[in-house]
Amino acid sequence: DAGITQSPRHKVTETGTPVTLRCHQTENHRYMYWYRQDPGHGLRLIHYSYGVKDTDKGEVSDGYSVSRSKTEDFLLTLESATSSQTSVYFCAISGVQGYGYTFGSGTRLTVV
Amino acid sequence: TQLLEQSPQFLSIQEGENLTVYCNSSSVFSSLQWYRQEPGEGPVLLVTVVTGGEVKKLKRLTFQFGDARKDSSLHITAAQPGDTGLYLCAGAKAAGNKLTFGGGTRVLVKP
């Protein structure tokens, strides 16, 4: 059984609409992360969380917000989707900051 | 410019050949990790190296952490089509820091 699941796996949305991606873990890990992966840029950190209601920005946080109301769930919201946010989004978890990340299977988001 | 530079960006070889992927930086890292990512899936952790000069082996894969802890390499012996994927290195500059990822090396092993 996967300890981390992302939903949805695929989504197509229109420019200007809000979108929420969900990451759910069953490992009770403290740290959760949202990355985006684009050709030529590798994995870039959007936001991360170090506990319930404790979040911080990553290197590409503009246009994104996050919430973590429970240990197991970390939500990523695109407040008003733009075409530049078309990407594959990955959630990751770890029990120790910076050590041994477990990734979800990703969400492919297309903004048209 | 990325903090961790991987080379080459793309590598295509025949089954049975050897290959080496490099991960370089001008910064010192407390640990380096290697991940492999297959199409449509998230990266999967292969190994973590934490000591300068450390060598770890995982079947046909050999990982080395540079003496100065600024670089790492991944060597695959007798590559197989199942080794095909995107290989990512990632480092933490200090214990408790977030990971920084390299741009990745895409490996294609042809049967």
Side-chain angles (χ1 to χ4, degrees):
Chain A
D1 289 339
I4 176 172
T5 54
Q6 291 184 234
S7 59
R9 287 297 311 272
H10 302 272
K11 186 168 182 67
V12 179
T13 192
E14 293 186 349
T15 300
T17 61
V19 177
T20 296
L21 308 183
R22 180 179 183 241
C23 179
H24 178 78
Q25 61 146 330
T26 57
E27 305 295 323
N28 201 36
H29 281 337
R30 177 181 177 186
Y31 298 94
M32 299 186 76
Y33 313 84
W34 276 107
Y35 285 88
R36 60 178 289 174
Q37 187 173 38
D38 305 287
H41 291 281
L43 282 163
R44 292 182 291 175
L45 182 65
I46 305 171
H47 281 280
Y48 68 101
S49 170
Y50 46 96
V52 173
K53 292 186 168 51
D54 291 323
T55 65
D56 206 349
K57 295 178 179 180
E59 59 183 300
V60 290
S61 60
D62 287 348
Y64 301 95
S65 62
V66 290
S67 66
R68 191 171 178 196
S69 60
K70 299 185 290 185
T71 298
E72 56 265 36
D73 289 325
F74 193 31
L75 303 180
L76 175 71
T77 297
L78 287 65
E79 294 141 10
S80 177
T82 68
S83 58
S84 65
Q85 293 176 312
T86 291
S87 185
V88 181
Y89 292 85
F90 286 100
C91 177
I93 59 175
S94 69
V96 177
Q97 176 82 296
Y99 195 85
Y101 289 8
T102 299
F103 283 84
S105 296
T107 294
R108 182 173 293 277
L109 177 69
T110 302
V111 183
V112 297
Chain B
T1 303
Q2 293 190 305
L3 191 60
L4 282 168
E5 295 284 344
Q6 288 189 238
S7 62
Q9 289 184 307
F10 179 71
L11 196 53
S12 178
I13 61 172
Q14 292 296 133
E15 182 177 0
E17 294 180 341
N18 302 333
L19 68 97
T20 302
V21 176
Y22 299 94
C23 176
N24 295 297
S25 177
S26 57
S27 300
V28 175
F29 288 89
S30 68
S31 68
L32 267 175
Q33 302 169 29
W34 285 92
Y35 293 79
R36 179 168 64 210
Q37 184 179 16
E38 298 187 12
E41 295 298 327
V44 175
L45 179 66
L46 295 174
V47 78
T48 301
V49 285
V50 298
T51 305
E54 182 177 4
V55 177
K56 281 192 174 179
K57 292 193 175 184
L58 185 65
K59 296 183 181 179
R60 294 175 294 99
L61 278 62
T62 302
F63 305 86
Q64 185 162 8
F65 200 10
D67 291 341
R69 291 187 289 130
K70 293 183 179 181
D71 55 85
S72 182
S73 63
L74 157 61
H75 182 80
I76 301 179
T77 303
Q80 299 177 1
D83 296 323
T84 292
L86 178 67
Y87 288 83
L88 296 159
C89 68
K93 295 190 76 175
N97 280 21
K98 300 181 297 298
L99 285 182
T100 297
F101 282 83
T105 294
R106 194 164 298 278
V107 172
L108 174 63
V109 182
K110 300 175 187 175

